[in-house]
Amino acid sequence: MTVIPVLAIGALLLALHHFVIRRTADWVGKHFVAPDYDLPPRAQLDSRHAGPPPPAHRTEERQTVADAAWAGDWKPAERYVQAAGEDWDERWSRLELLQHVAGEDDAWLEAWRAAEPGNCDAATLHASIMVHQAWEIRGSGYAHEVMTSDMNRFRAMLPAAIEEARQAALLDPANPGPWVVMITAARGAQYRRAQFKPLWEGLVARAPHHYEGHWQALQYWCAKWFGSDRRMMRFARQAVRKAPPGSPLAGIYLHALDELIYRPATFAQPVTPLMRRLLKRVAASFEQVAPDDERLPALRHLLAHYMVRSMMYARALEQFRLIGPWCGAQCWRKSGNPVVAFETARGTAAKLSRTRPTPAPKIYGIGR
């Protein structure tokens, strides 16, 4: 078969698929009854959150640490980070919380650094704050959207932050935290690939499956920074393959798909057998992640979203059942109305999966 007939068939199938999706969306709006498919009713959907709130004891612990810091006592913050031990993902998550606390008032952090100049966590936190302050000046827009003066200030601030992170790394050679900071700053500092490579090697030598480190590296390898679609997807596929049991690392692949599809002027990505196989592997990996992992709900939303786009409707329906009533994830907010987007997606999964509805039996007569 020549190229032209193949392209024509592909275009015809794509048009047919779009027609089916439009028809299905109409059915969802008029006839979809979520409980018939073991899903929460639309009236219970919560667009404020992507998942359930953290357990009360975890919230109380965080608030206690924050209150103590704002009152000038940095020691609870130090103990809070140290309690994570060598669970480097958790340790980084706790540093991120302290970064938000310092955003309100950082006097406690300066006191901590003065009292313990050899503390790697305090030094790492300070370096990370320097990077985020630089990024706040730059903003989140594409390079051509940023004022030249802001871009110059942004780039001028990063070398000092990287040097601060390098010094932090010397304080605790086993701690990957400073290396995450350096990887985060590297793309803004316009590090060439030869400069970035030793930073990446330094991180994975200490924490080969560090989630935030991989997310930041994915950003470096994407086309809008210093990589390409091919390099980014290769990196994301490797993350799926090497994700250990219990880690959400395979979710990096979903972020890569997000980068491809929502980049301006990017055509719709074709659905391939490889993509479907990888989405299945991601789902299998998530089954081994602790249910209370706070990264998991947002990743499940992305997984369900891309399974629907990949016409994996039965598997998407499984994810929607695990997600429950929470629909505040960014992938649904992008449409402007997360409830409608979420309802349409899960209704589409229910309808096109050919799952037979199981309506609740009607109760006749006078209810008690």
Side-chain angles (χ1 to χ4, degrees):
M1 185 177 290
T2 61
V3 173
I4 293 177
V6 169
L7 292 176
I9 292 172
L12 180 61
L13 290 175
L14 184 61
L16 178 61
H17 175 66
H18 287 165
F19 173 74
V20 171
I21 291 296
R22 287 195 298 271
R23 287 283 301 272
T24 303
D26 184 61
W27 174 86
V28 171
K30 295 178 180 178
H31 306 293
F32 176 55
V33 180
D36 291 354
Y37 298 89
D38 297 323
L39 297 167
R42 177 167 178 159
Q44 293 181 9
L45 297 184
D46 187 335
S47 62
R48 298 168 298 171
H49 307 99
H57 70 87
R58 196 176 296 174
T59 300
E60 291 170 5
E61 180 184 33
R62 292 167 178 170
Q63 191 62 53
T64 299
V65 169
D67 290 341
W70 291 329
D73 186 0
W74 51 266
K75 291 183 179 178
E78 179 191 32
R79 292 193 295 269
Y80 179 64
V81 177
Q82 287 183 341
E86 293 187 1
D87 183 342
W88 299 119
D89 275 347
E90 177 62 22
R91 199 169 182 118
W92 182 261
S93 175
R94 295 184 179 207
L95 282 178
E96 286 187 318
L97 171 68
L98 295 182
Q99 183 171 290
H100 290 296
V101 174
E104 298 289 330
D105 179 1
D106 66 353
W108 62 273
L109 176 56
E110 294 306 315
W112 182 10
R113 294 179 63 224
E116 295 191 338
N119 188 292
C120 178
D121 292 316
T124 300
L125 179 56
H126 182 249
S128 182
I129 289 172
M130 292 174 68
V131 173
H132 280 78
Q133 287 173 339
W135 230 279
E136 286 175 2
I137 291 170
R138 183 198 182 280
S140 60
Y142 285 84
H144 69 275
E145 300 171 341
V146 182
M147 292 177 57
T148 301
S149 59
D150 289 344
M151 185 66 80
N152 290 340
R153 288 177 63 201
F154 165 68
R155 289 174 177 163
M157 293 173 68
L158 291 175
I162 292 173
E163 181 56 30
E164 189 84 6
R166 289 190 190 279
Q167 294 302 315
L170 298 176
L171 300 175
D172 183 1
N175 193 327
W179 298 87
V180 177
V181 176
M182 287 186 271
I183 285 172
T184 304
R187 65 183 186 273
Q190 298 184 296
Y191 270 33
R192 300 184 302 277
R193 293 171 187 172
Q195 294 173 288
F196 181 80
K197 182 180 178 182
L199 300 182
W200 176 247
E201 291 174 346
L203 171 65
V204 296
R206 292 160 176 81
H209 309 117
H210 199 289
Y211 186 87
E212 178 67 16
H214 276 76
W215 191 90
Q216 295 294 344
L218 181 80
Q219 292 300 304
Y220 180 89
W221 288 118
C222 73
K224 68 186 178 188
W225 286 101
F226 296 99
S228 63
D229 290 347
R230 181 179 62 83
R231 287 179 180 274
M232 178 185 68
M233 296 310 298
R234 182 173 63 188
F235 179 84
R237 290 192 296 269
Q238 289 172 350
V240 176
R241 286 193 288 268
K242 68 183 183 182
S247 168
L249 185 63
I252 293 296
Y253 178 72
L254 305 174
H255 289 299
L257 293 179
D258 237 22
E259 183 64 39
L260 281 179
I261 290 175
Y262 290 106
R263 193 171 67 241
T266 300
F267 294 103
Q269 296 297 310
V271 176
T272 64
L274 175 60
M275 181 177 176
R276 291 194 178 98
R277 286 198 302 271
L278 286 167
L279 290 174
K280 291 177 186 177
R281 288 189 64 169
V282 172
S285 181
F286 285 177
E287 290 176 5
Q288 302 179 70
V289 178
D292 65 346
D293 189 309
E294 293 178 39
R295 295 164 293 187
L296 188 57
L299 290 173
R300 282 206 188 280
H301 282 283
L302 278 179
L303 179 57
H305 172 64
Y306 285 112
M307 282 182 161
V308 171
R309 291 181 68 108
S310 301
M311 295 174 280
M312 301 168 65
Y313 301 115
R315 291 180 179 272
L317 183 59
E318 293 173 7
Q319 296 303 315
F320 282 117
R321 286 170 175 161
L322 291 168
I323 288 168
W326 316 100
C327 64
Q330 184 61 23
C331 57
W332 315 119
R333 290 189 172 279
K334 288 174 180 176
S335 69
N337 189 325
V339 172
V340 171
F342 182 77
E343 182 78 345
T344 300
R346 67 180 189 156
T348 298
K351 177 70 172 177
L352 298 184
S353 67
R354 300 186 183 279
T355 300
R356 296 189 61 162
T358 54
K362 294 181 180 179
I363 300 176
Y364 297 94
I366 299 175
R368 295 185 180 182

